[in-house]
Amino acid sequence: MEAALVRERYKLVRVLRREDHYVCAEAVDILDREKRSCLLNLYDGPLLRTYLPCFDRLERFPACRGALLDGERLVTVFDLPEGTPAEQAFHRRDHRSWRERLDYAALLMEQVLNLADVDPAVSCPALLPENVLVDERAGRVRLRFAAAPMEDASDQTAARLAAAALKTVLPRRFSSPAEELDLLEELDRDDCGTVVQLYALWRRYESALRDGYEALERQNALRRWISLVRLRVRRALRRKKEVNNW
């Protein structure tokens, strides 16, 4: 499927992924004065008809440069985002402040909400771990729209992938207040069938998370440690009771 140029405009630099009837490639827009890199998704064969209607609701994404037909294939063009995969940027032992984590979580959930009306064939791959990027220089969360075909693409799959990304930004840690542990337990229950429901869950907890962290921060180190130990003991006893009752 590769060619030196796509529509006499996009010069392919390297193929990032290749499957039957699908190629994801990095390219350069030779008509762009700044010669910016872009991300191309190329579909042909049976995927052409499947993906034709999938890219008509992406106007809200500044990264989307459009979709076009190139002979017997569909080509979609996106900015190639900068950033580090969230799984690498966030982990339990990093030294980020809780405020920074919550700020990035809010940025992530804004991106998730923007996917509400996007076809799962596009939103699901955009939420895969390798495509959720943290641009720390700009203080932004970006999605890489490398929209490879997924067999299990659905609204619920998109919600699950978004929940996994949120848990990456807010991992369960000893310093987590009760409110954060409650949110993580809700996410583990997998009750959100759409990204809109997941966003609503996040909004329900967002202010409480900040309040919980601020309450802990007001305590001195010893009292904070005692509070966190008591919290874990209470939750462990509650789980034990729930298991015994079950």
Side-chain angles (χ1 to χ4, degrees):
M1 290 179 63
E2 303 97 305
L5 291 176
V6 175
R7 285 290 292 267
E8 299 182 352
R9 176 170 183 172
Y10 300 104
K11 182 179 180 180
L12 298 187
V13 175
R14 61 184 176 127
V15 173
L16 303 176
R17 182 166 179 170
R18 185 201 305 274
E19 298 180 7
D20 289 343
H21 305 294
Y22 171 76
V23 168
C24 179
E26 179 183 349
V28 173
D29 184 352
I30 62 174
L31 299 185
D32 180 52
R33 182 175 300 176
E34 298 178 2
K35 298 294 187 293
R36 294 175 298 169
S37 294
C38 54
L39 184 73
L40 303 185
N41 295 287
L42 302 100
Y43 307 91
D44 68 5
L47 294 181
L48 176 60
R49 181 171 298 178
T50 300
Y51 280 87
L52 267 175
C54 293
F55 293 91
D56 60 352
R57 296 182 179 179
L58 290 169
E59 299 87 357
R60 73 190 66 186
F61 292 96
C64 181
R65 300 192 195 178
L68 50 93
L69 288 173
D70 180 34
E72 295 297 318
R73 64 184 175 185
L74 171 68
V75 182
T76 66
V77 186
F78 292 88
D79 289 337
L80 188 64
E82 296 183 358
T84 303
E87 286 188 333
Q88 297 178 26
F90 292 90
H91 50 85
R92 286 183 177 85
R93 295 183 180 180
D94 67 30
H95 299 291
R96 297 178 187 276
S97 70
W98 62 264
R99 287 185 176 86
E100 188 176 7
R101 285 182 178 274
L102 292 185
D103 288 344
Y104 274 114
L107 292 171
L108 168 66
M109 295 310 296
E110 289 176 7
Q111 294 282 4
V112 168
L113 183 62
N114 284 338
L115 294 172
D117 295 328
V118 175
D119 193 289
V122 179
S123 62
C124 286
L127 289 167
L128 289 171
E130 64 268 24
N131 290 330
V132 179
L133 306 180
V134 177
D135 184 350
E136 299 194 59
R137 290 188 302 174
R140 296 183 62 182
V141 173
R142 306 179 191 275
L143 300 180
R144 188 176 69 148
F145 285 91
M150 289 179 58
E151 291 184 1
D152 59 343
S154 67
D155 289 334
Q156 187 167 37
T157 298
R160 287 172 176 165
L161 290 168
L166 182 57
K167 287 189 284 187
T168 295
V169 179
L170 301 177
R172 187 177 278 103
R173 296 167 298 150
F174 178 74
S175 59
S176 296
E179 295 81 2
E180 187 168 85
L181 296 177
D182 289 340
L183 170 61
L184 293 173
E185 287 185 1
E186 290 258 24
L187 296 176
D188 289 340
R189 293 191 188 101
D190 193 25
D191 291 334
C192 296
T194 67
V195 294
V196 173
Q197 293 174 2
L198 179 66
Y199 182 80
L201 176 66
W202 159 254
R203 290 292 294 165
R204 198 167 78 236
Y205 276 93
E206 185 177 10
S207 295
L209 288 171
R210 295 185 183 276
D211 292 344
Y213 270 110
E214 288 174 354
L216 286 173
E217 198 172 57
R218 286 193 293 268
Q219 299 176 0
N220 62 42
L222 178 59
R223 290 189 62 189
R224 182 163 56 247
W225 182 84
I226 292 173
S227 296
L228 291 169
V229 170
R230 286 176 174 172
L231 172 63
R232 267 100 190 126
V233 170
R234 288 197 303 268
R235 297 180 80 89
L237 292 174
R238 188 190 70 187
R239 286 195 297 270
K240 182 178 180 180
K241 183 178 180 180
E242 290 172 351
V243 169
N244 291 337
N245 290 339
W246 186 82

